[in-house]
Amino acid sequence: MNSKFSTILWVILLALTLSACAGKRKQEPVSVTQNAQAMYAEAKRVLDSGLYNRAIEMLQAVENRYPFGPMARQVQLDIIYAYYRANNLPQAIANIDRFIRLNPNHPDLDYVYYMRGLANLKADENAFQSFFGIDQADRDLASTRQAFDDFRILITSYPDSKYSADARIRMQHIRETLARHELLVADYYMRRGAYLAAANRGKYIVEFFRESPQVEQALELMVQGYDKLGLVKLRDDAYEVLKLNFPNNRTRISSGS
């Protein structure tokens, strides 16, 4: 009797279990890719709206949670852009350098070098031009020089990149800025009586910035510097180049020196 009762009870319990399972709606698990895509889409929406600091937080959350996801590299590129637009240039450059180191063959490296050039260029602009309108040419230009190298890498390694044309324009602007910087330094040395240093700065401008409008003044400083030092041959050579290229220049030297 007990055995029969146990069998009936087992059948009833089994029926109740099957009924309960049948009553539940089967839920499909959300894939990791779907989760990552949803998080990224929201972060991208915030980025596109111009809330760059908030976008950085959200993009970093995606990267931390899905470091090897299918959109990991795009997330890193967006973080670079967000830091640049948020004016956090040291973090932008740090993330750029990390991306280049970890992805030496990535198809978007042209963009990354372009962003590196922009970030370095903006670093000096922020530090000097925005400070009471000071011309950045009379300050240290380490970041500007680095920007020039970044753009040079871009146009040399990726000549067909859609960013190369703008990089060339920016390089021309940088050349002029660097030439003016060298001329200001040369003039400073001349006024301090460091004539050889002044002449050498002028020579550097003539050699490396031949198309710059600053070349005429650079040659003038070379003539004056060599003249003060009594280096007649170097003075006369510089003067000859000056008169050949700028015949209307009024600089004069004494023939009896």
Side-chain angles (χ1 to χ4, degrees), residues 59 185 212:
L59 288 165
V185 174
S212 171

Side-chain angles (χ1 to χ4, degrees), residues 223-241:
V223 171
Q224 294 166 16
Y226 291 141
D227 188 53
K228 292 286 187 181
L229 293 167
L231 300 174
V232 177
K233 178 66 167 60
L234 292 176
R235 180 203 66 185
D236 290 348
D237 288 346
Y239 182 73
E240 183 178 351
V241 174

